[in-house]
Amino acid sequence: MALKARALYNFQSENKEEINISENEELHLMSGDSLDGWLQGTNSRGQTGLFPASYVEIIQPARSGSVQMDYPSRHTSYTDATHHGSYDDDEEDDDDWDDWDDGQSVVEEPSGSNGVPHRQTQHHYYPRAEHAHRPRPQLERQDSIASGKRGSVVGRNLNRFSSFVRSGVEAFILGDVPLFGRVSENYVIEMGPKGPQWRPNPNPFICSVEEPTKQTKFKGIKSYISYRLTPGHTNSPVYRRYKHFDWLYNRLLHKFTVISLPHLPEKQATGRFEEDFIQKRKRRLVLWMDHMTSHPVLSQYDGFQHFLACRDEKQWKAGKRRTERDEMVGASFLLTLQIPTEHQDLQDVEERVDTFKAFSKKMDESVLQLSSVVSELARKHLGGFRKEFQKLGGALQNLSYSFQLDPPYGSEPLIGAISHTGNTYEVVGEMFAEQPKNDQFRFLDTLSLYQGLLSNFPDIIHLQKGAFTKVKDSQRMCDEGKMEQEEADGIRKRCRVVGFALQAEINHFHQRRLQDFKLAIQHYLKEQILFYRRVSQELEKTLKMYDNL
């Protein structure tokens, strides 16, 4: 019998995975087991998706018998349930962490009101779909009254599952993130010619990603690909597998709330040792590494430096545990930021954010369209164009053969020239098929990277919007005599931190965007010129065969 539930509260969806539910609405559930605090079901309008388990009560059906259903356990994440079987076996073998594993499967995380869960499974993989790149912590509903610590506190967001709440930024804005006695990290935001910007890394560096090599272990039972990384500031190579990148990426997601992280290249269930896939992953890891090393904050992160430099197994384990026990994560990361003293009108900041929001939405649409066009062009190069040139070449070969059938009127030089022309067009067809790896694939790599970066910004902008709302609410409560001005000033001050951080990230994004698209399109045009020049040379050589017939 299908399970039903009744909604206890209204819930507004924030992405395409979720659905809206209304108080007292009857819902049909796919399963009674929650997945990371979420249920999947269908609302009264026929929409199917996720909603918070704590927002509904299950209506227990009258049982006339029992039917055993095979659902994911309640400890299985929604990501794991939906993506099961789609990841590289060699990359995610949990029983095999080599020099990484310290024998613990669960990592202790800092607790508190910063929106970070108390514990997190170490080998948990978050989705990398276009609009689902940030982790969902385990969720429990907290009533706003119970969670308030001061009588005059600004009302908390009733939607406990918005990114503003989940990230802990709401708690930071309201002053509920605990201050640590000594903060060793310090990231500076300074005023530049175009507004707030991250202070550059005083010791900039680059890092190469080279020599993807297939290796085996357990006498050949398990195989994997390792990559040689050579950081410029150490010039000492280290070897890392993809899952090592994935571990680092999840630590970055956990820590940097207001930074748009470059996404790792996708995983693949089959064909992971095929040369085309290996080269594609390498190209995209090169771009990922370039963005990491160029970011003024990410490049200085201790966890990233440890990932790049550590070569000793014992030191690796110690650094890995230290990274996983980092307390300055999520909303607490905002405590490490030093902002300029210059005054910024919050209304001006809000307008600046709205402008970027409109820009990023349009750019996202444009990048998606361009990616589709280039992908289709590459497909034609690999298939359609080659096939058509081969047809042309074959037809010319048939023509030359027919000219030989009446010898008295035959002309050996002309027959040879026509036959060679047929061969030339077959060669041209192969040239078309080989060309995408020189230009279109590289262009698609850049477009894919920016699809990921752009997909991060809606959530980050939502944090700033939530902070603006709290400032307006606090000022209204001050005007009504329900809050002390000092408390409202604290909320405004902390909102300035979020605003400066977002503007600095926007500034960095634009700097990289201008550089990356200039280089990407330059490279594409240069390779296209070289390609058509080679085609032209083949045709010109063939043309000369007709000159003296």
Side-chain angles (χ1 to χ4, degrees):
M1 183 177 294
L3 283 176
K4 295 182 179 180
R6 180 177 294 106
L8 299 174
Y9 314 97
N10 295 332
F11 172 71
Q12 188 74 24
S13 66
E14 290 191 335
N15 56 55
K16 62 184 179 182
E17 296 177 0
E18 302 166 359
I19 58 173
N20 297 336
I21 61 175
S22 303
E23 185 177 354
N24 294 322
E25 182 178 6
E26 189 175 275
L27 309 164
H28 293 269
L29 303 181
M30 311 294 285
S31 166
D33 291 327
S34 65
L35 308 174
D36 264 5
W38 296 77
L39 289 170
Q40 188 174 22
T42 304
N43 60 20
S44 59
R45 294 170 295 285
Q47 300 167 328
T48 299
L50 297 175
F51 45 84
S54 56
Y55 271 45
V56 303
E57 62 176 357
I58 295 177
I59 303 172
Q60 296 296 338
R63 291 176 175 268
S64 58
S66 62
V67 178
Q68 184 175 357
M69 303 294 287
D70 183 18
Y71 293 118
S73 72
R74 65 180 67 252
H75 299 295
T76 304
S77 73
Y78 176 70
T79 305
D80 294 337
T82 55
H83 292 272
H84 179 66
S86 65
Y87 294 150
D88 309 23
D89 292 338
D90 70 306
E91 307 295 6
E92 319 309 341
D93 43 332
D94 289 342
D95 60 335
D96 168 28
W97 278 79
D98 302 325
D99 54 335
W100 286 70
D101 199 4
D102 55 9
Q104 298 179 355
S105 60
V106 175
V107 178
E108 294 289 344
E109 296 293 353
S111 61
S113 57
N114 61 353
V116 180
H118 289 265
R119 298 171 74 82
Q120 175 176 316
T121 303
Q122 181 170 328
H123 309 316
H124 181 84
Y125 297 96
Y126 301 113
R128 289 180 182 79
E130 281 187 17
H131 300 288
H133 296 279
R134 289 183 176 265
R136 279 204 179 107
Q138 288 218 327
L139 304 170
E140 294 180 0
R141 186 176 65 85
Q142 300 178 23
D143 294 331
S144 59
I145 297 176
S147 61
K149 295 185 177 180
R150 300 180 298 276
S152 62
V153 72
V154 174
R156 289 175 177 270
N157 194 326
L158 294 179
N159 183 357
R160 308 305 300 156
F161 302 91
S162 72
S163 59
F164 182 52
V165 179
R166 291 199 311 262
S167 65
V169 173
E170 180 191 51
F172 171 79
I173 293 295
L174 298 181
D176 289 344
V177 173
L179 295 172
F180 296 90
R182 177 176 163 273
V183 178
S184 59
E185 294 180 77
N186 182 37
Y187 301 103
V188 179
I189 300 172
E190 55 192 18
M191 294 302 292
K194 295 184 179 180
Q197 63 183 29
W198 299 112
R199 176 175 290 178
N201 185 345
N203 301 299
F205 66 97
I206 59 174
C207 179
S208 63
V209 180
E210 300 172 306
E211 295 186 6
T213 306
K214 182 178 180 181
Q215 299 184 3
T216 60
K217 62 195 317 175
F218 300 136
K219 298 182 179 180
I221 295 177
K222 290 187 178 294
S223 301
Y224 59 90
I225 301 294
S226 69
Y227 301 85
R228 187 183 72 183
L229 313 182
T230 308
H233 59 317
T234 66
N235 203 31
S236 180
V238 295
Y239 293 85
R240 299 288 183 253
R241 295 170 58 178
Y242 180 85
K243 68 178 178 184
H244 300 158
F245 283 90
D246 200 60
W247 170 85
L248 172 63
Y249 180 67
N250 279 287
R251 303 322 304 168
L252 294 165
L253 279 177
H254 196 57
K255 183 175 179 70
F256 296 106
T257 310
V258 292
I259 291 178
S260 180
L261 297 168
H263 299 164
L264 284 174
E266 68 277 7
K267 300 180 181 182
Q268 182 165 307
T270 59
R272 58 187 180 274
F273 297 124
E274 293 179 0
E275 184 63 22
D276 287 346
F277 175 73
I278 291 172
Q279 291 304 317
K280 175 183 176 181
R281 175 174 279 182
K282 178 201 165 185
R283 293 194 313 268
R284 298 195 173 188
L285 285 176
V286 168
L287 287 178
W288 184 87
M289 185 63 71
D290 185 44
H291 268 252
M292 286 292 298
T293 57
S294 69
H295 196 286
V297 175
L298 301 179
S299 62
Q300 298 184 70
Y301 172 45
D302 286 345
F304 183 48
Q305 290 294 329
H306 180 69
F307 171 83
L308 293 178
C310 187
R311 305 180 71 188
D312 178 79
E313 181 176 349
K314 290 183 179 180
Q315 291 180 5
W316 171 259
K317 290 179 180 180
K320 177 173 176 283
R321 287 192 290 268
R322 184 172 59 252
T323 299
E324 291 166 347
R325 291 170 181 165
D326 184 5
E327 293 181 320
M328 309 310 294
V329 299
S332 295
F333 165 70
L334 297 170
L335 299 174
T336 68
L337 302 183
Q338 179 182 330
I339 65 174
T341 58
E342 284 89 343
H343 171 73
Q344 271 197 317
D345 185 81
L346 290 184
Q347 184 65 36
D348 293 340
V349 176
E350 190 168 15
E351 291 176 0
R352 174 72 187 91
V353 172
D354 286 340
T355 299
F356 179 77
K357 181 179 179 181
F359 159 81
S360 61
K361 183 176 184 297
K362 184 60 178 177
M363 182 179 174
D364 189 33
E365 294 170 354
S366 302
V367 168
L368 184 61
Q369 178 190 24
L370 183 57
S371 180
S372 175
V373 170
V374 177
S375 294
E376 178 64 17
L377 183 58
R379 188 188 66 80
K380 290 179 178 178
H381 269 259
L382 293 169
F385 291 163
R386 173 167 57 180
K387 186 177 179 180
E388 293 305 317
F389 280 115
Q390 287 175 339
K391 284 183 180 179
L392 177 59
L396 288 167
Q397 293 278 8
N398 287 335
L399 179 65
S400 69
Y401 175 73
S402 70
F403 280 14
Q404 302 176 44
L405 298 182
D406 194 354
Y409 297 95
S411 170
E412 288 298 325
L414 179 61
I415 292 172
I418 294 174
S419 177
H420 185 80
T421 303
N423 289 332
T424 296
Y425 276 109
E426 289 180 352
V427 169
V428 169
E430 292 301 320
M431 292 171 65
F432 269 86
E434 290 294 318
Q435 184 58 21
K437 68 177 62 174
N438 298 324
D439 49 30
Q440 289 149 2
F441 289 169
R442 293 276 297 272
F443 201 5
L444 287 170
D445 293 339
T446 298
L447 295 174
S448 175
L449 177 74
Y450 272 85
Q451 282 181 270
L453 290 170
L454 288 163
S455 72
N456 295 332
F457 276 108
D459 272 353
I460 299 175
I461 290 172
H462 180 67
L463 303 182
Q464 179 65 65
K465 292 293 185 182
F468 284 141
T469 300
K470 295 304 178 190
V471 170
K472 294 173 184 176
D473 289 347
S474 66
Q475 189 57 53
R476 174 180 52 79
M477 294 181 72
C478 267
D479 295 341
E480 295 172 354
K482 297 178 180 179
M483 176 182 287
E484 296 294 333
Q485 186 62 49
E486 181 181 358
E487 188 175 350
D489 290 343
I491 291 175
R492 179 178 291 270
K493 179 180 179 181
R494 289 184 289 272
C495 180
R496 275 170 43 83
V497 173
V498 178
F500 271 110
L502 175 55
Q503 291 176 86
E505 190 60 19
I506 290 173
N507 197 324
H508 176 75
F509 174 83
H510 281 309
Q511 289 178 0
R512 282 300 319 215
R513 172 182 62 85
L514 297 175
Q515 175 183 338
D516 289 341
F517 277 87
K518 171 190 172 183
L519 293 176
I521 297 176
Q522 273 184 330
H523 178 269
Y524 185 81
L525 289 172
K526 288 177 180 178
E527 289 295 332
Q528 286 276 290
I529 291 169
L530 290 175
F531 169 66
Y532 284 109
R533 187 174 292 162
R534 290 195 299 271
V535 171
S536 177
Q537 288 171 352
E538 290 292 330
L539 296 176
E540 286 174 354
K541 285 190 297 184
T542 303
L543 177 61
K544 290 180 180 179
M545 297 184 66
Y546 293 84
D547 289 346
N548 299 315
L549 293 181

